[in-house]
Amino acid sequence: MKRIFIFLLFAAALLLSNGQPILAAITLPPMSEKMLDNGLKIIVVENREQPVVSMRLILKSGTAADGKGKAGLANMAAGLLRKGTASRDATKISEEIDFVGGYLGAGAGLDATNVTAEVLTKHFDVGLTLLADIVLNPTFAESEIDRLRKQTMAGLMQQKDDPGTIADLQYSQYLFGEHPYGQPGSGTVESVSGITRDDIVGYWKSNFVPDNAVLFVAGDVTAADVFPKIEAQLGGWPKGNVAKLEVVPAPKINGTRVVLINKADATQANVKIGHLGIDRYNPDIYAVRVLNYILGGGGFRSRLMSDIRDKRGLTYGINSQFSFDRYQGEFTVTVSTRTDSTTQAISATIEHIKKIREADVTPQELSETISFYSGYFPRQFETPEQVASQLSIVELYGLEKDYLSKYIDNIASVTAPTVRAAAQKYLDPDNLLIVVVGKADDLREKLKQFGPVTEIDLFEL
Amino acid sequence: MKKVLLSLAMLMLLTASAFAVPEWPIQKYTLKNGLTLLTLEDSSTPSVSFQVWYHVGSKNERPGITGISHLFEHMMFKGSKNFADGEHDRLVQSSGGMINAYTSNDMTVYHQEFGRDQLELVAKLEADRMQYLTITDKQLSSERQVVLEERSERIENSPFGDVLEQLMANVYLAHSYSWLTIGWRKDVENIKLEDCLNYYGTYYNPANAVVVVVGDVKSAEVQKTIEKYFGKIPGNPKIPRPIYNEPEQRGERRISYHKVSQLPMFIAGYQCPPAGHADSYALDVLSAILSGGESSRAYQRMVYTDQIAIAAGGQYQSMEQGGVFFAYSMMQPGKTTADGEKALYEEIEKLKNEPVTAEELQKAKNQIEAQFFMGNQSNDQKGSQIGYFQTILADYKLIFQQADKYNAVTAEDIMRVAKTYLGERSRTVVNVIQENKGATPMGM
């Protein structure tokens, strides 16, 4: 009894402090910044804890720049970088980076392409030299293009065995339509077979330019040591001029609709539910973050998780997400559940979306969310890679200098009415896209309750 | 000329590159009830990783209750005497902490990351559920559904999960490594509350646990706090441990497994020695030579030059009482698993019959060295390393002795372990028989 009483006191104290959270400050390790004459920005983050250095070159162009019908172009260009340069063939590049136990690779997301090298401090020069060489001097040999194309095509086939990936790809395609975010970044069989060497070289020439890039060097180095080395390797990189993408906004969904992809052997349905969201620059972004945390972003604490997983046992995991990208964003709930509970999980999700629009979130939900961010955010600067990753968001999207230092304050200023206003503005339970990958014979009739159903067989994709 | 220069550079590295791991200032403290506490101070980030390692996993199960270790891990979040169902998550997360758990064949780990102010709270929560878990039938039946959904996701509806399950079931005939940690579906469906309570009573006590705390908190303070909350929990050092009962394999086992799969694939497993065994280091080095990076032998031959596979390799994976060397490849459309097996086994034969080059040997060691430092940057990563070595190998100090053991591996050792462990008669192979209309390559 005494124990319980003490606990109650303790819990009350915690709640009290949650009501007026003590906002933690972010401590950043020593950093230095330099701009080369060709417009390449370099940011060095010093952290001597482990003898490791990570280098990340971010190009502010990603799969959104693929171009119509050329889905997969940015990733093919990135994938080919380490497949041969003027002075090293693919195997030699692999030999050199593998010999020092390092990592060297490149890949494209929607808005950016990352070229990364990670090595032990004593091999810094090897890492930097290879990174610079593959960015500046790739040869894009036809034989390597063929090889990568063949592998990519086989990879695209293999994707069909992974219901989560199928759901992701189809969802983006139906959600964004003709918008560049609607094209799969890994390409399609059709687009990949049509991409030529000229396309790839053209993409590289226009997007791999220093004034479109930021280089992060994070780890066991000093700026004084590495600036001259970087300048020697990348100072001669000729400037370019990246054309601004003209992007037409994606159309809104008019009335809830269902896309059902038949995977006849599935015993579970992979479901994505949502609609368009907000871009990176929307001033309501903090209210939307709090809203999303309470609805389905807050792990075990979210409404969707505690109801649909913990109370009803319908799923191993459910989450909601707002993505904030350069041109557009999306709001998406992702869940997988056994075939016979699919409609139950979808209905429950829609109910939660409705509910959070209709009433204010509770004071406890709000204060716990703010406390969470206040404690969680400062810990996202633990490893040098994490620091670089946070800073890269600021650079990539050209955010305010004080974006990181004001982050927690901005979260803390969110109130229950602003959360509700955001829910009403940015959640739309009557106009949803619902994508389901599962056994169509057991699903098609039941799914009609949500809206018209478009059915596709997996093997016709 | 360039090539010579490169080789010279490599030679210089060769002479100077025996790797060493500087010892972390870990403090060890043992409570009277048998609980082991390991602390490592690091104030560079306002963050603490707090992990509780129970030395129990699916290896401790028996047919009929397979999967109970993992199902029980889920039940540990369902409330204890002083904290209602869901409170543990709520209290940790609402102060900015993160919480989760995982189960393997050999261990069950509960880990949280938080700011230093939450040390006392987390200690109290973990101690409470170590001795006063309160679980009901109703909670079990709902959580069982969650775990069955997890099994659906990870095994039945996954491209590889069920293939691996088939492999392990055939690599091990007698030992409990024969089933995956998630357990067989029918067993999970039938585990009773009583089974859970017995399991809890047998394995969840301080004498079977290691607490690891790494980060922005003083060791003295941690010791005091742990003593305060865990010190009075009775310890029972008589934990039943399974014996290694697997008979010697005397002949290849070949399994056909039918499933929908777009590409042909196979996975083979060879019975190997356990973690910490004298040969385990050479097997790690051998794995790196066969499949570490794109310059590795399997990648160069099968993926790059012959282009018969999109992925191929061989990797030794060690557990507490045994190990498995996995050899696998996923084929290009139009190629068969027979093509893949032939090429990969030929590469394995070469490892038995020809010494690897000095450069390859050094490359593999450099990779192992780099992975160590790259994989131990955060408090959570360091804590996992410490917890693993203390729980599975009974001494965290072995972390700092590995480097010498890797440095000592010779080309002859590689040949010897390849001959000893990677023979046809100790091999088990699962071939996936494609059962789908997509089996013909698209657009061809």
Side-chain angles (χ1 to χ4, degrees):
Chain A
M1 188 60 201
K2 195 172 170 194
R3 225 189 148 96
I4 293 173
F5 178 68
I6 292 172
F7 162 66
L8 284 176
L9 265 183
F10 179 74
L14 196 84
L15 277 178
L16 209 69
S17 76
N18 281 349
Q20 295 144 323
I22 304 151
L23 299 183
I26 297 162
T27 39
L28 289 173
M31 284 187 299
S32 320
E33 203 178 296
K34 185 174 183 171
M35 180 84 87
L36 300 186
D37 291 341
N38 58 9
L40 175 67
K41 189 170 188 177
I42 308 163
I43 297 177
V44 176
V45 179
E46 297 182 28
N47 179 326
R48 324 303 296 263
E49 199 175 307
Q50 294 287 357
V52 175
V53 194
S54 93
M55 289 163 252
R56 178 141 62 130
L57 183 76
I58 296 177
L59 296 137
K60 300 175 195 174
S61 309
T63 61
D66 276 351
K68 204 168 152 57
K70 300 287 179 189
L73 179 58
N75 268 307
M76 279 192 86
L80 285 163
L81 294 179
R82 57 168 289 181
K83 299 298 178 186
T85 66
S87 57
R88 294 173 173 88
D89 66 17
T91 301
K92 192 166 178 207
I93 293 169
S94 295
E95 279 292 350
E96 287 185 34
I97 192 68
D98 288 350
F99 189 77
V100 298
Y103 170 81
L104 180 70
L110 292 177
D111 296 330
T113 300
N114 283 284
V115 187
T116 309
E118 192 177 6
V119 288
L120 295 181
T121 312
K122 59 187 172 184
H123 305 308
F124 174 79
D125 292 346
V126 176
L128 177 63
T129 303
L130 288 172
L131 178 92
D133 193 31
I134 67 172
V135 168
L136 299 184
N137 312 305
T139 41
F140 301 113
E142 286 286 3
S143 59
E144 294 293 347
I145 295 173
D146 287 346
R147 191 178 265 121
L148 181 65
R149 186 183 288 125
K150 212 172 131 192
Q151 275 171 15
T152 307
M153 307 269 261
L156 291 172
M157 278 180 77
Q158 202 276 320
Q159 274 180 358
K160 293 192 176 182
D161 289 331
D162 186 358
T165 307
I166 304 163
D168 288 348
L169 292 172
Q170 292 302 310
Y171 180 77
S172 301
Q173 227 154 305
Y174 278 90
L175 185 63
F176 289 105
E178 297 294 301
H179 187 281
Y181 290 172
Q183 291 199 132
S186 47
T188 64
V189 170
E190 220 188 346
S191 70
V192 170
S193 38
I195 290 172
T196 64
R197 182 172 187 275
D198 284 350
D199 292 331
I200 294 166
V201 173
Y203 180 90
W204 168 74
K205 275 199 174 140
S206 23
N207 294 289
F208 281 70
V209 289
D211 37 336
N212 191 36
V214 184
L215 175 64
F216 286 93
V217 178
D220 184 20
V221 289
T222 63
D225 278 349
V226 299
F227 277 144
K229 289 181 176 178
I230 296 168
E231 188 148 16
Q233 297 272 2
L234 292 167
W237 188 6
K239 239 179 153 151
N241 189 13
V242 179
K244 204 173 172 287
L245 281 187
E246 293 303 328
V247 175
V248 186
K252 285 202 163 163
I253 300 154
N254 226 332
T256 294
R257 62 172 299 193
V258 180
V259 177
L260 170 62
I261 295 117
N262 180 32
K263 191 170 188 317
D265 62 317
T267 61
Q268 214 178 20
N270 284 67
V271 182
K272 294 185 87 88
I273 305 167
H275 47 58
L276 295 173
I278 63 171
D279 65 31
R280 173 59 64 174
Y281 307 99
N282 188 305
D284 296 329
I285 194 166
Y286 295 97
V288 168
R289 283 191 166 112
V290 172
L291 162 69
N292 184 59
Y293 181 90
I294 294 169
L295 177 63
F300 293 113
R301 294 299 305 151
S302 75
R303 290 183 180 186
L304 290 176
M305 196 77 149
S306 42
D307 182 28
I308 295 169
R309 170 175 152 140
D310 286 351
K311 265 202 206 103
R312 307 192 199 208
L314 296 182
T315 183
Y316 174 55
I318 180 165
N319 70 77
S320 70
Q321 198 200 343
F322 274 89
S323 68
F324 311 113
D325 300 307
R326 186 183 297 280
Y327 303 104
Q328 182 63 272
E330 64 178 58
F331 161 71
T332 310
V333 175
T334 305
V335 60
S336 58
T337 183
R338 61 187 180 278
T339 308
D340 65 14
S341 57
T342 307
T343 49
Q344 210 186 331
I346 296 173
S347 303
T349 300
I350 296 172
E351 283 312 308
H352 282 289
I353 296 173
K354 285 184 177 157
K355 199 178 141 201
I356 207 163
R357 296 175 84 247
E358 284 158 9
D360 279 353
V361 297
T362 67
Q364 186 183 351
E365 283 175 319
L366 180 67
S367 69
E368 286 186 8
T369 304
I370 294 171
S371 296
F372 170 78
Y373 275 103
S374 174
Y376 172 79
F377 194 66
R379 287 190 289 103
Q380 301 317 297
F381 299 84
E382 186 179 353
T383 66
E385 241 305 292
Q386 281 179 307
V387 176
S389 163
Q390 292 290 345
L391 293 170
S392 74
I393 296 168
V394 178
E395 293 299 327
L396 176 59
Y397 293 106
L399 305 179
E400 297 294 324
K401 280 272 162 222
D402 57 5
Y403 168 76
L404 296 173
S405 59
K406 280 198 170 157
Y407 189 98
I408 296 171
D409 284 341
N410 281 327
I411 291 279
S413 66
V414 173
T415 63
T418 56
V419 172
R420 191 164 163 204
Q424 287 176 346
K425 196 165 172 191
Y426 302 115
L427 294 177
D428 188 357
D430 297 325
N431 295 292
L432 295 165
L433 170 65
I434 303 174
V435 170
V436 180
V437 179
K439 189 176 176 191
D441 283 348
D442 296 346
L443 288 165
R444 78 172 62 83
E445 286 309 315
K446 290 187 194 163
L447 288 171
K448 286 181 183 160
Q449 61 180 284
F450 302 111
V453 178
T454 308
E455 189 178 324
I456 310 164
D457 195 87
L458 182 57
F459 294 105
E460 281 153 22
L461 285 179
Chain B
M1 188 58 201
K2 239 182 189 150
K3 198 162 177 127
V4 176
L5 270 179
L6 177 74
S7 299
L8 278 177
M10 283 185 173
L11 267 179
M12 281 163 66
L13 285 168
L14 283 180
T15 52
S17 63
F19 99 87
V21 177
E23 210 159 313
W24 306 338
I26 296 167
Q27 291 199 30
K28 186 176 174 187
Y29 183 72
T30 310
L31 274 63
K32 285 206 184 72
N33 56 17
L35 182 93
T36 304
L37 170 67
L38 296 165
T39 59
L40 175 60
E41 295 179 11
D42 179 348
S43 58
S44 59
T45 317
S47 173
V48 179
S49 169
F50 186 113
Q51 311 184 2
V52 185
W53 286 66
Y54 290 96
H55 190 184
V56 63
S58 55
K59 162 175 102 251
N60 301 71
E61 297 165 358
R62 55 174 171 75
I65 58 162
T66 66
I68 194 172
S69 305
H70 169 253
L71 176 60
F72 186 76
E73 172 226 296
H74 281 237
M75 298 308 292
M76 282 286 278
F77 291 85
K78 291 297 174 184
S80 49
K81 189 170 150 193
N82 298 300
F83 299 96
D85 189 352
E87 279 298 280
H88 194 134
D89 294 337
R90 189 183 72 78
L91 289 169
V92 174
Q93 213 173 312
S94 65
S95 48
M98 291 295 270
I99 177 165
N100 218 327
Y102 58 88
T103 309
S104 82
N105 312 75
D106 300 314
M107 67 241 181
T108 310
V109 184
Y110 300 84
H111 58 111
Q112 30 248 311
E113 283 184 79
F114 48 84
R116 59 172 308 157
D117 300 344
Q118 274 74 48
L119 173 70
E120 179 124 6
L121 165 68
V122 171
K124 193 187 245 182
L125 285 162
E126 287 292 5
D128 205 54
R129 67 178 176 180
M130 186 183 279
Q131 70 178 326
Y132 297 128
L133 192 69
T134 53
I135 48 174
T136 64
D137 262 319
K138 198 172 162 233
Q139 288 172 323
L140 177 62
S141 50
S142 134
E143 203 59 26
R144 185 200 314 280
Q145 291 311 315
V146 171
V147 169
L148 289 170
E149 290 297 332
E150 183 179 359
R151 195 189 139 87
S152 281
E153 208 172 301
R154 290 186 197 269
I155 310 293
E156 286 123 6
N157 290 274
S158 127
F160 314 111
D162 52 348
V163 182
L164 183 67
E165 184 174 56
Q166 289 295 313
L167 181 74
M168 295 302 277
N170 290 287
V171 167
Y172 291 103
L173 301 182
H175 193 268
S176 44
Y177 288 151
S178 168
W179 50 88
L180 299 187
T181 302
I182 193 103
W184 296 106
R185 175 170 280 270
K186 283 288 170 192
D187 285 349
V188 175
E189 283 174 359
N190 286 294
I191 288 167
K192 309 274 183 295
L193 185 66
E194 196 191 336
D195 299 323
C196 290
L197 294 172
N198 282 337
Y199 184 89
Y200 181 55
T202 309
Y203 298 109
Y204 278 67
N205 86 70
N208 198 36
V210 175
V211 173
V212 185
V213 182
V214 178
D216 185 22
V217 60
K218 295 276 174 251
S219 292
E221 187 193 336
V222 179
Q223 281 176 17
K224 224 174 75 191
T225 310
I226 296 299
E227 187 69 70
K228 179 172 166 195
Y229 291 104
F230 290 81
K232 293 202 182 83
I233 308 174
N236 173 16
K238 287 184 192 141
I239 308 291
R241 304 280 176 213
I243 54 158
Y244 187 72
N245 59 350
E246 189 61 30
E248 186 197 345
Q249 184 168 347
R250 296 189 176 198
E252 190 186 35
R253 298 173 193 152
R254 298 192 68 84
I255 312 303
S256 298
Y257 184 66
H258 295 250
K259 74 172 290 181
V260 172
S261 176
Q262 307 310 308
L263 299 176
M265 64 170 157
F266 80 91
I267 178 163
Y270 300 79
Q271 282 183 18
C272 276
H277 187 278
D279 289 339
S280 64
Y281 307 94
L283 283 163
D284 280 333
V285 174
L286 181 152
S287 302
I289 291 169
L290 192 58
S291 51
E294 294 189 6
S295 70
S296 66
R297 292 183 175 195
Y299 185 94
Q300 277 297 312
R301 171 166 176 183
M302 297 170 70
V303 181
Y304 190 78
T305 306
D306 295 350
Q307 299 186 60
I308 60 170
I310 62 167
Q315 183 69 45
Y316 165 61
Q317 176 75 43
S318 64
M319 297 171 287
E320 186 178 356
Q321 294 188 332
V324 179
F325 185 89
F326 296 104
Y328 57 88
S329 82
M330 176 165 281
M331 310 309 297
Q332 283 274 9
K335 300 293 173 191
T336 64
T337 56
D339 300 330
E341 282 194 81
K342 181 173 180 288
L344 200 49
Y345 299 158
E346 278 173 17
E347 288 305 319
I348 290 173
E349 285 309 304
K350 271 189 220 157
L351 289 167
K352 295 178 190 173
N353 300 323
E354 299 160 28
V356 299
T357 66
E359 259 181 40
E360 272 180 308
L361 188 63
Q362 190 59 50
K363 177 172 74 173
K365 292 178 183 179
N366 291 348
Q367 288 177 344
I368 290 167
E369 176 190 22
Q371 278 157 17
F372 178 84
F373 291 110
M374 290 173 186
N376 283 299
Q377 301 194 64
S378 69
N379 293 335
D380 197 49
Q381 288 171 324
K382 287 179 195 157
S384 299
Q385 192 79 223
I386 297 167
Y388 176 83
F389 275 83
Q390 183 64 37
T391 306
I392 302 305
L393 298 172
D395 187 2
Y396 73 87
K397 286 189 176 143
L398 294 171
I399 296 171
F400 313 105
Q401 295 162 21
Q402 306 171 82
D404 287 345
K405 294 180 176 161
Y406 286 116
N407 288 329
V409 172
T410 65
E412 290 68 38
D413 290 331
I414 306 277
M415 284 169 78
R416 182 179 51 77
V417 297
K419 280 183 195 155
T420 310
Y421 302 108
L422 307 185
E424 185 188 329
R425 66 185 245 166
S426 59
R427 181 167 72 210
T428 303
V429 187
V430 178
N431 258 301
V432 171
I433 312 291
Q434 292 166 283
E435 215 168 52
N436 46 299
K437 49 180 172 175
T440 48
M442 289 179 299
M444 289 184 190

